[in-house]
Amino acid sequence: MVWIILFGGICASFMVAVTEAKHLNILYRRSRCDSCHHTLTWMELIPVASFVLLKGKCSQCKSNIDIGSFICELLLIFFYLLPIFYDLSLKDLTLYYLMITILIPVALNDFKTFTIPNHMSLLFLFTGLFLTDLQYIEPFKDIVIILILHLFYLLFSDSVGYGDIKLFTVITLITPVNFFVYTILLTYIIGGLFIIILHFYKSDMPRKIPLVPFITNALILAFILYEEINTIYFGGFL
Ligand SMILES: [Zn+2]
């Protein structure tokens, strides 16, 4: 379990760097402080612990370290451990680990910058197709879904970005069709609830709301509730 925690933390730091990367050189360059550019020592690179020990500040210039990476480390460790304590209802663990590893950093990036880097969508697509061995590709249904997504984008381009459409397209190609439908439904249910709650606390609503955090939440919920929703969806009113 210690290894999973360590691995989750290291994965998180790495994935945050990959998500924010503008050049390939992050893969071999040592990490630096964003303000004073001093090269971080290994003591400053231990996931979670470094941030806590340094109280979130650079050891040289004392400027604040971006908290996004720390949050990402905590979230990834938590969701890496989840399947150990909790039986996931959709038992495709490879898919589960792939999704949280890629989407949690992308969700945080979307939250900060309202963008989804193209290289992350591509990475998600290719690793997804490779790891799922193309078993969830259903050409006819997938094409119909992709057409609907694009139609949705043309009609409601104010409420959804093209980055989100690309992400949904990847998800439909690497998951079972019904799983994808649950994910879309849950995304808008969670997003809708969030907007209603936000209305109570804030009079001025933000003009843009990042969608990837909701997509990620929806995916994790779909993993946990897959069997239950299947029963309700196909055994209940439909
Ligand atoms: Zn510094």
Side-chain angles (χ1 to χ4, degrees):
M1 201 167 109
V2 178
W3 290 109
I4 297 178
I5 294 175
L6 207 63
F7 184 69
I10 293 169
C11 263
S13 318
F14 181 71
M15 290 308 293
V16 168
V18 172
T19 308
E20 292 175 353
K22 303 259 181 325
H23 303 286
L24 264 181
N25 67 6
I26 65 108
L27 296 179
Y28 50 82
R29 201 193 62 199
R30 287 287 297 273
S31 308
R32 294 154 187 264
C33 164
D34 289 333
S35 349
C36 70
H37 301 293
H38 101 95
T39 309
L40 301 184
T41 58
W42 68 269
M43 291 278 289
E44 293 168 87
L45 289 169
I46 308 166
V48 181
S50 295
F51 188 90
V52 175
L53 290 173
L54 293 166
K55 300 194 180 72
K57 294 189 192 315
C58 167
S59 67
Q60 300 288 312
C61 67
K62 305 287 173 208
S63 60
N64 288 331
I65 302 172
D66 177 25
I67 196 166
S69 184
F70 177 63
I71 294 174
C72 188
E73 285 162 15
L74 291 181
L75 285 176
L76 261 198
I77 291 171
F78 176 80
F79 286 110
Y80 273 24
L81 290 174
L82 185 72
I84 298 178
F85 299 107
Y86 191 92
D87 215 8
L88 293 179
S89 161
L90 180 67
K91 293 187 169 37
D92 195 331
L93 277 184
T94 324
L95 195 56
Y96 171 79
Y97 281 113
L98 171 77
M99 284 188 167
I100 53 173
T101 307
I102 292 191
L103 288 180
I104 290 176
V106 171
L108 279 160
N109 189 68
D110 191 23
F111 187 73
K112 274 197 295 195
T113 64
F114 295 105
T115 53
I116 303 166
N118 269 329
H119 67 271
M120 292 309 283
S121 307
L122 286 173
L123 179 70
F124 192 29
L125 175 67
F126 290 119
T127 44
L129 290 177
F130 176 73
L131 290 174
T132 58
D133 211 9
L134 307 184
Q135 60 172 314
Y136 296 129
I137 297 251
E138 288 176 76
F140 179 70
K141 286 179 184 168
D142 288 338
I143 290 170
V144 170
I145 288 177
I146 292 168
L147 285 176
I148 293 174
L149 284 172
H150 282 76
L151 188 68
F152 184 74
Y153 175 68
L154 289 176
L155 294 174
F156 303 102
S157 53
D158 300 336
S159 64
V160 64
Y162 195 58
D164 303 313
I165 298 294
K166 283 188 268 190
L167 215 52
F168 278 132
T169 303
V170 176
I171 297 169
T172 182
L173 292 173
I174 63 171
T175 61
V177 169
N178 49 352
F179 181 87
F180 174 79
V181 173
Y182 306 156
T183 304
I184 288 250
L185 290 176
L186 285 169
T187 300
Y188 283 93
I189 291 173
I190 300 169
L193 283 176
F194 175 79
I195 288 170
I196 292 169
I197 293 168
L198 200 65
H199 252 299
F200 278 108
Y201 292 101
K202 283 182 95 163
S203 46
D204 53 327
M205 290 291 286
R207 280 191 55 241
K208 270 172 119 181
I209 290 176
L211 201 58
V212 187
F214 298 114
I215 300 175
T216 312
N217 272 311
L219 277 167
I220 294 170
L221 256 184
F223 260 99
I224 295 172
L225 298 174
Y226 184 69
E227 299 273 318
E228 282 84 347
I229 311 176
N230 252 346
T231 318
I232 300 169
Y233 199 68
F234 291 109
F237 62 90
L238 266 182

